[in-house]
Each structure stands twice: as structure tokens, then as C-alpha cells.
Amino acid sequence: MVQRTSASEVVVSPVRIGRLSIGALGILALSLGALQSVVEPALPLLQRELGVSPAEGALIGNTLLITGAVVTPVAGKLGDRYGGKRVLVRLMAVVSAGGLLAGLAPNLPVLLLGQVLQGVMVGALPLSFILVRKHLPAGASQAAIGLVVALFTGGSMVGMLFAGPIAEGLSWHWMFALPTIAIIATTSVVARVMPPDPPSHSDHRIDWPGVLLLSGTLLAFMLGLVTVTRDGGLPPLGISAIAVVVAVLATGWVVVERRATSPMVDLRMLTRSAMWRSCVLTFFITASSGMVIFLLPQLFAVSADGYGFGADTTDIGLFLLPGAIAGAVSDSVGGIAARRFGPRAVVVVSTVVTVATLTALASLHGAAWQLVLAKVLTAFAAGVGSTALLAGIATAVETKDTGIATSLLVVTRVIGVAVGVQIGGAILAAGAEPMTDRPAESAFATGFAVAGLVAALSLLVVRMTKKGTQA
């Protein structure tokens, strides 16, 4: 629809989209989730094939998250400015190149480069949210956002289920190649059936200094996190140097954004209670979830002659499958729950479930069903809580800020998971037995207890912000 507001200005109203367009976005999200998740059940296998330790193995999965953290806010801002569909299609070209590179990788460095390129897939989520928000009313947008996130999570179910059989029947290279082929096919469908969304009109240029400083801050933080938690870590002087670099870049970004005519991120948006509270809560929820994501496959893979289960990649995928299903269901429930009960209530209930589950898991992890049940409960709770926060923010900000606001929350999710994964790897490395280099059982118990403690911090944040609101 075209509306003429003046003799010189024509405003194009977005076309309402139907089930076909939403379904195409959802299937693309499913394919992306599958590509992202194949590493989780195959991580012990990749560690053996590539000859790396658990702490270094965490780098394989976190490389993707590093790129995602850097690219996502940029993708969201570009989507707000130039249109979500236009940016999404270009991002998928980069993801496809990364997936094909990982599928052909002869060694660890090339695999990591492929993961770097694949990491831009995280930016697809806020771009999808832009399309949904522009083409649907607010009420329908929350449900559609929950569906897209649910299918992205559901893709992890597909990846976990087939990663083992593909790796053992063909090779681990095909774990990356097959989902990439699906992404190429579904991107072409999205490009064909999704109507273009009108870009936002602005007389100002994109705040590239702000983009570069924010990207540099996130990159320095993520690389510093990986370096600090690797085997041997860094001396105190090195840690201090990384902290200084991150602080300088972050300070420079704030200064630039305050002075910019059209800032990349309106800092006033970050000062809103709903925005910063959602970021803090999302971080604690996903950091706890990231530790569980890393620890459970490692425990399943420990030799059965001790306290472990001796599971291979296929078995690990089957053990984790119920949790992936629960996560997919929880994401769709999270959007609906946010609309009905509000994000705060959803976060409280999900956090209580997570803390209780991980506290029990710290002492009860001798049977496979205990680990499977814990994965189901924690995945469902984390999915409901984080998606409720995301859906709430997506409809709380102005339409023109949907991409950048949801990008910041998605970045927070990525950082939280990355922090959790690296902490989990560091705990296992610190608790390794000198003779066998195998993590002691007490290291896993410590990891589950720490994950529960991190999740419990969400309740503290909710309590403190509630008091502040009442005051």
C-alpha cells in the first residue's frame, strides 16, 4: 500500500504477511538452529579428532558465539535502516560460505574460520523480528516471535539427533555441510515469498564510529574471555590489560553515542528500567544454561569404567534430544506467557525451577535419566524465561528500534552462553586428574552447583528491581 503524505514524500506501508511467509522464516530458523547445534553432541568427538582439551574444545563452539556477539547489533541496526529482508539475505550468504568451509575443513584453524563466518547467523533473529513486527500487529508479533525462536531452538533438536549418525556414518565434515545446503535452499524461498519491508527514512548517516567501537568492545571481551579461561590462563598483568582495553573501548563508545546526531544505540533506551533489567536477567539465565550445555555432554562421554557413561556421539545426541524438544516448546510458550502473565512472573518461576534442578543435579548424577531430566527442566525454564524477556522488549520499544533493541538482548544471550561454556570448561580443566587428564567427578558437581548459583542471581535482580520500582 502506498500513501502520499505530501507532494514530495511517498510512504510505503508494509504488506501484511500470511502463514507462508512466517513458515518460510521459521524453516530458515530451523535450518540455522541445526547448523549451530551439531557441535554440542559432537564436541567430545571433535576433541579426540583434533587432539584438544575440554577448555580448548569449548573454543570450537564459542568461536561462533564471538562472531554472533559482534555482528548481531550491527545487523539489527542495518535491518532497521535498510530493511530486514535485504540484510537477512546477505547475511545468509555469509553463513552459507562458513558452513561450506567448515564442511571442507582439514584442520582446526580452518574449522574455526568456518565457525567465525557461521556466527553471523545469530543476526538472523533480530532481522526476523523486524520483519514480523513490521508486517504484523503487536499481539500477533509476540506469538510469531515465539514461533521463530522456537523453531530456531527446534533446529537444535534436529542437529543433535543427526549429528552422531552423520559423523559416524560419513564424517564430522558432513555435520556442517548438510544443514548448510538446507540454509541455501530456504533462503531462496524466503527471498521469493517474503514481501520487502520498507526501510526507515532518515536524513542522517549510520553511526559507523559507534558501530566500530561497539564491535571492538564485544570482540575484545569475547576474545579475552576465551583466552583467560583456556588451559594455563593468563597472568594477572595480561588479565588487567584485557580489562583496560575493554573499558577504554566501552568508554569511547559511550562518548561517541552521546555526541552522535543519529547514534547506533540511543543510550536513553538502555537507561529504561525494562531494557537494562531484561539484559541483566537474560545474562544470568543464559550463563547458567551455557554451563549445563557444556557440562552434560562431557559427563555423558566420560568412560563408563568410572563415574561416567561412555556414550558416543550418537548416544549423546539421543540423551540431549528430550532437552532440545523441551527448549523448542518453551520458546513458543515464552512469547505467549509474556503476553499473559508478564516477563517478571515468568522469569521468577523459571529461575526457581532451574535452581532446584541444578542443586539436585550436583549430588544426583549417577544415572543417565537424572541428567536427561535435568536437561529437560533447565532447557524449558531457560527458554521460557529468556524468550519472555525478548518478546516483551520487542513490543515495548518503538517499531523503528525493534532491530537494535532485540539485537542487544540477543547479544546478551550469546555472551551469557559463551561465559557459561567457558566457565564450565575452566572448571573441568581445573578439576582434571593429573594421571589421566580426565575431570574428577567433583569437578562436575562443582560445575552444576555454580550454574545453580548463577541462575539464583536472577531472583536477586528481580527482588532488587521490584523494591526500586516500589520506592
Side-chain angles (χ1 to χ4, degrees):
M1 180 183 299
V2 178
Q3 298 176 341
R4 188 172 300 276
T5 60
S6 67
S8 60
E9 182 181 4
V10 175
V11 178
V12 181
S13 300
V15 179
R16 294 298 185 204
I17 57 176
R19 294 180 180 179
L20 179 61
S21 297
I22 297 175
L25 273 181
I27 295 174
L28 177 59
L30 185 77
S31 304
L32 292 170
L35 179 60
Q36 183 190 42
S37 67
V38 292
V39 170
E40 184 179 347
L43 191 54
L45 180 148
L46 291 174
Q47 290 170 195
R48 292 193 302 271
E49 292 279 341
L50 301 172
V52 298
S53 68
E56 292 171 325
L59 179 61
I60 298 174
N62 267 354
T63 300
L64 183 149
L65 298 179
I66 291 171
T67 306
V70 173
V71 170
T72 299
V74 180
K77 188 65 176 182
L78 293 177
D80 283 333
R81 176 65 68 89
Y82 298 114
K85 177 183 175 180
R86 179 180 179 185
V87 180
L88 177 64
V89 171
R90 285 161 174 74
L91 243 63
M92 292 305 98
V94 179
V95 174
S96 300
L100 294 176
L101 185 61
L104 298 172
N107 49 43
L108 178 60
V110 178
L111 174 60
L112 292 179
L113 178 58
Q115 290 290 89
V116 167
L117 297 178
Q118 290 176 47
V120 305
M121 75 170 66
V122 184
L125 286 177
L127 293 172
S128 299
F129 303 155
I130 291 173
L131 291 171
V132 168
R133 181 70 193 279
K134 285 186 177 180
H135 292 296
L136 291 174
S141 295
Q142 287 189 327
I145 287 171
L147 176 63
V148 171
V149 177
L151 288 172
F152 183 80
T153 305
S156 66
M157 175 178 60
V158 177
M160 289 178 185
L161 184 61
F162 291 104
I166 291 173
E168 294 167 1
L170 298 173
S171 75
W172 60 264
H173 299 85
W174 283 99
M175 298 187 315
F176 300 101
L178 292 179
T180 302
I181 295 172
I183 289 170
I184 294 172
T186 51
T187 300
S188 64
V189 174
V190 170
R192 184 176 182 84
V193 304
M194 178 65 67
D197 54 310
S200 61
H201 298 281
S202 175
D203 296 330
H204 305 291
R205 296 180 179 178
I206 288 183
D207 174 28
W208 288 114
V211 169
L212 294 176
L213 284 170
L214 179 59
S215 300
T217 302
L218 292 171
L219 182 61
F221 175 80
M222 296 293 283
L223 292 177
L225 172 68
V226 170
T227 305
V228 167
T229 55
R230 289 187 65 182
D231 293 343
L234 283 178
L237 183 60
I239 296 175
S240 300
I242 292 174
V244 169
V245 170
V246 172
V248 169
L249 289 172
T251 302
W253 175 69
V254 171
V255 171
V256 167
E257 296 301 270
R258 288 173 63 90
R259 297 179 177 178
T261 304
S262 179
M264 177 190 180
V265 178
D266 188 344
L267 297 181
R268 292 173 298 179
M269 180 176 66
L270 293 179
T271 61
R272 296 177 186 173
S273 175
M275 188 69 201
W276 69 259
R277 182 174 63 244
S278 295
C279 288
V280 174
L281 290 172
T282 297
F283 174 79
F284 287 133
I285 291 171
T286 54
S288 174
S289 178
M291 294 184 66
V292 176
I293 287 173
F294 180 80
L295 292 172
L296 286 183
Q298 301 291 332
L299 182 52
F300 279 127
V302 172
S303 175
D305 60 4
Y307 59 87
F309 303 90
D312 59 21
T313 303
T314 299
D315 291 333
I316 293 174
L318 291 174
F319 283 137
L320 297 177
L321 179 60
I325 296 174
V329 173
S330 71
D331 285 327
S332 59
V333 172
I336 299 173
R339 183 179 180 181
R340 184 177 180 85
F341 304 107
R344 181 192 294 270
V346 176
V347 168
V348 170
V349 173
S350 64
T351 300
V352 170
V353 172
T354 300
V355 173
T357 301
L358 293 176
T359 300
L361 189 60
S363 56
L364 300 174
H365 49 260
W369 69 265
Q370 295 170 338
L371 275 63
V372 172
L373 178 60
K375 176 64 174 177
V376 168
L377 292 175
T378 55
F380 186 85
V384 168
S386 59
T387 303
L389 292 167
L390 185 59
I393 285 299
T395 54
V397 299
E398 297 181 25
T399 302
K400 66 181 182 64
D401 293 325
T402 301
I404 188 61
T406 55
S407 293
L408 292 175
L409 219 55
V410 170
V411 167
T412 305
R413 292 177 68 158
V414 169
I415 292 175
V417 171
V419 169
V421 168
Q422 290 297 149
I423 292 176
I427 290 174
L428 293 192
E433 299 171 348
M435 298 297 295
T436 63
D437 201 32
R438 184 179 67 181
E441 183 178 4
S442 59
F444 286 100
T446 300
F448 293 134
V450 172
L453 180 61
V454 171
L457 293 175
S458 298
L459 295 176
L460 180 61
V461 173
V462 170
R463 179 66 177 172
M464 292 176 62
T465 54
K466 183 178 181 180
K467 286 183 177 181
T469 301
Q470 292 175 343

